Amino acid sequence: MSKKLCGTNYPLSICFIVVNEFCERFSYYGMKALLTLYFVTYLKWDKDLSTAIYHAFSGLCYFTPILGAIIADSWLGKFRTIIYLSIVYVIGHVVKSVGAIPTVGNTDVHIALSMVGLILIAIGTGGIKPCVAAFGGDQFDEEHVSERQKFFSIFYMSINAGSLLSTLITPVLRGDVQCFGGDCYALAFGVPAALMIVALVVFIAGSSLYKRNPPQGNILLQVCKCIGFAIKNRWRNSKHESKRKHWLDWAEEKYSKRLIQEVKMVLRVLVLYIPLPMFWALFDQQGSRWTLQATRMNMAFGNSFNIKPDQMQMLNALLILLFVPIFDLVIYPLVRLCRVKTTPLRKMATGMIFAALAFVAATLVEINVVKTVVDPAPEGKCLLQVINLAQGDISVKIPNNDLFPDAIAYLQDPPKYEMLELEAARMELNIEVSFSGSKVVCQEKFEDQKAHSLIIYKVDTNLRCLLVEDNVEKNTDGKPYVRFFSTLQEPMNITVGQVNFYAPPDYSMSSNDTVDRNEYPAVHCDLQSEDCPGLNLGLLDFGASYTFILMKESGQIVAHRMEDVKANSVHIAWQIPQYVLLTAGEVMFSITGLEFSYSQAPSNMKSVLQAGWLLTVAFGNVIVLIVAEGAGLEQWKEFVLFAALLLGVCIIFSVMSIFYKYVEPENMDKINLEDTKEEDEGDGKKSSMMLDKTGKSTKL
């Protein structure tokens, strides 16, 4: 007899299972929260490829549970399957963490280790997904039904707790801890790896307490074999035999009528699953497209707290904990009081509408976000701005172009980049600069698809030109870019936060680097010949790119600021409505969908429906993968496309639900038995009639 917890009917073994699940979910969601930014910033992939690989991994995580269920039910049993696949899981985490160490090999090595690690993680997390909850349920005696139900509530609470904490903590480890000269992905991935090791150790520690049921065969394999045999038998014999009432009846030669009837009932539900992947295509973009959107937003809450772009995903886990009781105790009862019939399929269709509305909200946010983004120059063109350091107004003329019709004031912050047409990939142009009645012609080489700053300055009485290349792409983690242009006659070292800059002398540009978003009223600087009292850089805000002009004024060194790329103007709090809408949609769609599916099929077919449900999530991620790599749309147009597709699918699903006939759960097995009995009796009558017509054996 299993040991009980503190005199209750709860087995002591469930403590180990719940802690194991919390640690495993922490490791999975903590690692997954970082993936998109890891691909973009560390592996240097573009946003579309990063999104595609993210969803390929997510999809694989929902294909592999089928494999795990088959291994557990047909071969190893749940206990050994969890142990063995958890070891694979741990190895995947370790390989993934090693791949994030910059000193281990080159970029190809990092990519190879990352992909191998992700594949192993997908096999591990997917393989144990159908086993852990079921193994926990196996620990209870049959008579302790209410205790088992409460266990599942605690179990799923541990999932959300692990998800919530990990999506808060791992982005902090990534961004706030610096290692190897940048964001510490090795540590941020290493902590989830450590939690998975803890999960495995805790699970093994409870080995002596577990109740272990031997493998009893996998019903999913039986269902697939039954369907396959029916199709094959119908194909072979349909020309020679009369039609049967249902195509699955062609499996009667090999399988029992009860199994065939149960498969028919399951297929009624699985047909309704066909439109469902589109919901998951939208839902799982929280970790990809929505995270990338957050990197181009203002992430400051007050002067002291900045949220990380990959931390916004924690809103989903937090809102789920809030919304489930609110919907069950408040919203659904209020809707019923208004005499509106709330069937499960209506709730699911409403959930789809809410998810589509979430992407409409994301579209509105995106349209405003891109207003501060500088579009890169296409082929045959380049971007150009002019910075005037000539101590007076200047005019700039470029052959066959009228980009700068107005005079440019001294130290004027250029309002925007102008698009300059080039006749070749590299082209030398003569630029005429007018100043105080004199003119000078500068010869500069421009490259297409690049951004340039043309700096006009004066040495003694002579005008000089300097063309420098600019970076106009916003940093993927939202940090501002900073560089210094020095007019001084000696070099200067400048420290902005924890980043050091070397500003070379005599009208030269420093390197371009990212710094933390902050107010910098007195930045430390070093000169050999004199003291530097500190430079006032002001607020360096999210998403901006700054060029600071260092010069002497009234005997003091000052830094004049040019904002090459505007700071992110849309606050990240504007993402909250889309998370609220999507999570409300999840509550109505996902939770209701699982409850509906389980109530509409026989008890021994629950695992088949769970497999079908997980596959809808997998195929949803495949849809995103295809659109991300194949559509090539602007981001806001892609959001509109997904919203429109889901609304279209919602209409199809609503039409399908009209023709669906509900079965009451308490009548499920009764209907099943009665239908089987009727078919048996019908077959008996058919055989009697056949015997009478042939005139054989009628006198037996």
Side-chain angles (χ1 to χ4, degrees):
M1 187 175 179
S2 60
K3 293 182 180 180
K4 303 297 181 183
L5 188 63
C6 301
T8 65
N9 290 323
Y10 292 95
L12 183 60
S13 56
I14 66 169
C15 296
F16 295 90
I17 295 171
V18 169
V19 173
N20 165 268
E21 184 65 12
F22 169 82
C23 294
E24 187 274 327
R25 290 290 85 185
F26 186 106
S27 75
Y28 174 75
Y29 285 110
M31 176 276 304
K32 192 179 178 186
L34 308 171
L35 270 187
T36 300
L37 294 185
Y38 173 75
F39 293 151
V40 173
T41 61
Y42 186 82
L43 298 184
K44 306 299 181 185
W45 289 346
D46 64 53
K47 294 177 181 179
D48 289 338
L49 178 60
S50 300
T51 299
I53 299 299
Y54 175 90
H55 287 282
F57 167 71
S58 298
L60 186 59
C61 289
Y62 284 94
F63 278 118
T64 51
I66 311 299
L67 177 65
I70 292 172
I71 293 173
D73 292 341
S74 304
W75 183 27
L76 294 177
K78 297 184 187 74
F79 174 76
R80 286 198 294 169
T81 300
I82 294 170
I83 293 289
Y84 295 159
L85 290 182
S86 291
I87 293 172
V88 173
Y89 201 162
V90 167
I91 294 171
H93 268 302
V94 172
V95 171
K96 183 79 191 66
S97 302
V98 172
I101 300 174
T103 55
V104 178
N106 55 20
T107 302
D108 292 336
V109 173
H110 297 155
I111 293 173
L113 290 174
S114 297
M115 294 304 100
V116 170
L118 288 177
I119 291 170
L120 293 176
I121 289 170
I123 294 170
T125 187
I128 68 174
K129 191 185 293 288
C131 300
V132 179
F135 187 67
D138 290 346
Q139 306 308 304
F140 291 85
D141 298 326
E142 289 300 322
E143 62 269 20
H144 299 145
V145 177
S146 62
E147 285 85 354
R148 183 189 285 120
Q149 290 175 341
K150 290 177 182 176
F151 159 73
F152 283 121
S153 297
I154 297 169
F155 183 84
Y156 290 114
M157 187 70 73
S158 71
I159 292 175
N160 284 296
S163 170
L164 178 62
L165 288 175
S166 63
T167 48
L168 277 173
I169 294 171
T170 54
V172 173
L173 298 177
R174 170 193 64 79
D176 291 352
V177 179
Q178 297 291 302
C179 61
F180 305 105
D183 285 353
C184 201
Y185 282 104
L187 175 64
F189 286 133
V191 169
L195 263 291
M196 191 57 221
I197 294 172
V198 172
L200 177 58
V201 171
V202 168
F203 187 78
I204 293 174
S207 297
S208 61
L209 302 173
Y210 298 138
K211 182 194 294 184
R212 308 180 200 178
N213 296 329
Q216 298 175 345
N218 188 269
I219 189 67
L220 178 60
L221 287 177
Q222 284 184 277
V223 170
C224 293
K225 288 178 181 178
C226 178
I227 293 172
F229 181 79
I231 294 171
K232 185 170 66 174
N233 199 29
R234 182 184 180 184
W235 178 261
R236 286 178 178 176
N237 302 314
S238 59
K239 295 180 180 178
H240 311 294
E241 295 185 24
S242 59
K243 290 184 178 180
R244 303 190 183 183
K245 189 175 180 181
H246 191 281
W247 64 270
L248 272 170
D249 294 335
W250 288 94
E252 289 177 351
E253 284 84 346
K254 187 174 181 180
Y255 295 93
S256 68
K257 290 184 173 62
R258 181 182 179 89
L259 176 63
I260 293 170
Q261 185 61 27
E262 289 172 343
V263 174
K264 289 178 183 177
M265 300 175 78
V266 166
L267 288 180
R268 290 173 67 242
V269 179
L270 290 180
V271 167
L272 287 174
Y273 281 6
I274 294 173
L276 304 190
M278 186 52 66
F279 174 88
W280 298 114
L282 276 70
F283 180 82
D284 276 345
Q285 290 187 56
Q286 296 172 81
S288 56
R289 294 303 200 195
W290 286 14
T291 298
L292 291 172
Q293 184 186 68
T295 64
R296 292 173 286 134
M297 302 179 77
N298 191 321
M299 294 169 268
F301 286 86
N303 295 324
S304 57
F305 176 68
N306 299 330
I307 196 170
K308 303 288 188 294
D310 36 1
Q311 280 182 317
M312 287 298 289
Q313 300 170 61
M314 65 86 185
L315 278 177
N316 178 250
L318 179 62
L319 290 171
I320 276 286
L321 296 175
L322 295 174
F323 280 3
V324 170
I326 289 173
F327 272 79
D328 286 341
L329 301 176
V330 180
I331 295 177
Y332 291 151
L334 284 176
V335 173
R336 285 192 288 269
L337 279 176
C338 297
R339 297 183 180 179
V340 177
K341 190 175 181 181
T342 56
T343 64
L345 294 180
R346 285 183 181 178
K347 290 180 186 177
M348 292 176 68
T350 307
M352 291 182 183
I353 293 171
F354 269 75
L357 290 174
F359 267 64
V360 172
T363 301
L364 296 175
V365 170
E366 185 68 21
I367 289 171
N368 287 282
V369 162
V370 296
K371 289 179 180 178
T372 64
V373 175
V374 177
D375 293 326
E379 189 175 351
K381 295 182 179 181
C382 71
L383 296 174
L384 178 63
Q385 67 173 3
V386 177
I387 298 176
N388 177 15
L389 307 182
Q391 300 179 357
D393 292 353
I394 63 170
S395 296
V396 175
K397 290 184 179 180
I398 301 175
N400 303 318
N401 285 281
D402 190 23
L403 298 181
F404 306 100
D406 300 322
I408 300 171
Y410 175 56
L411 291 176
Q412 175 183 314
D413 189 358
K416 64 173 184 175
Y417 281 91
E418 301 292 344
M419 194 74 73
L420 175 62
E421 292 192 14
L422 303 175
E423 296 176 0
R426 288 190 173 191
M427 188 174 179
E428 187 174 277
L429 295 175
N430 294 323
I431 301 170
E432 184 181 288
V433 182
S434 301
F435 172 73
S436 298
S438 62
K439 294 181 181 180
V440 64
V441 176
C442 302
Q443 287 187 335
E444 300 293 346
K445 289 184 179 179
F446 295 87
E447 290 187 47
D448 70 342
Q449 299 179 305
K450 296 284 182 71
H452 303 280
S453 285
L454 180 64
I455 302 174
I456 311 296
Y457 60 95
K458 192 169 65 170
V459 178
D460 297 328
T461 58
N462 299 318
L463 283 180
R464 302 285 177 84
C465 301
L466 177 67
L467 190 70
V468 295
E469 186 177 327
D470 297 349
N471 174 41
V472 294
E473 186 175 354
K474 287 180 179 285
N475 189 26
T476 47
D477 62 5
K479 291 181 178 180
Y481 278 106
V482 173
R483 62 181 180 174
F484 294 89
F485 183 80
S486 177
T487 66
L488 307 176
Q489 294 181 350
E490 60 178 306
M492 175 186 283
N493 292 305
I494 307 159
T495 303
V496 183
Q498 297 179 339
V499 182
N500 296 317
F501 292 86
Y502 172 75
D506 298 325
Y507 300 94
S508 300
M509 188 74 76
S510 74
S511 61
N512 201 15
D513 209 342
T514 59
V515 299
D516 290 331
R517 185 264 183 192
N518 213 333
E519 190 87 34
Y520 295 94
V523 167
H524 177 73
C525 52
D526 285 323
L527 280 172
Q528 292 180 350
S529 63
E530 58 183 289
D531 293 333
C532 184
L535 301 174
N536 181 10
L537 304 185
L539 175 64
L540 304 184
D541 213 348
F542 286 112
S545 288
Y546 300 100
T547 298
F548 286 94
I549 312 299
L550 302 176
M551 56 177 56
K552 271 192 177 182
E553 289 182 354
S554 303
Q556 286 194 334
I557 298 171
V558 296
H560 290 280
R561 182 162 79 171
M562 307 289 167
E563 193 173 30
D564 302 329
V565 178
K566 303 303 179 187
N568 300 342
S569 59
V570 181
H571 197 274
I572 201 168
W574 283 106
Q575 275 199 329
I576 294 175
Q578 64 202 56
Y579 275 98
V580 169
L581 288 167
L582 191 64
T583 307
E586 181 191 6
V587 172
M588 287 183 278
F589 179 89
S590 181
I591 296 174
T592 305
L594 284 170
E595 291 173 355
F596 162 76
S597 303
Y598 279 27
S599 70
Q600 297 297 296
S603 57
N604 63 329
M605 290 287 170
K606 308 297 187 194
S607 60
V608 178
L609 289 175
Q610 185 185 24
W613 185 264
L614 293 174
L615 285 177
T616 66
V617 183
F619 283 114
N621 281 277
V622 172
I623 291 171
V624 185
L625 190 159
I626 294 169
V627 173
E629 278 295 285
L633 297 173
E634 290 181 59
Q635 190 55 68
W636 71 269
K637 292 179 181 178
E638 187 180 289
F639 285 159
V640 171
L641 173 65
F642 276 112
L645 287 173
L646 185 56
L647 286 175
V649 164
C650 179
I651 294 170
I652 295 170
F653 179 76
S654 300
V655 172
M656 293 172 67
S657 66
I658 293 172
F659 299 98
Y660 184 83
K661 185 178 179 181
Y662 288 89
V663 178
E664 294 298 326
E666 59 269 18
N667 298 330
M668 182 63 61
D669 290 326
K670 182 180 177 182
I671 291 172
N672 188 15
L673 288 170
E674 285 178 356
D675 288 346
T676 306
K677 185 178 179 182
E678 285 176 10
E679 289 191 14
D680 288 341
E681 290 174 355
D683 288 343
K685 290 176 184 177
K686 286 179 186 176
S687 60
S688 298
M689 289 173 65
M690 287 179 67
L691 287 169
D692 287 340
K693 285 180 181 179
T694 56
K696 296 178 181 179
S697 303
T698 54
K699 295 181 181 179
L700 289 178

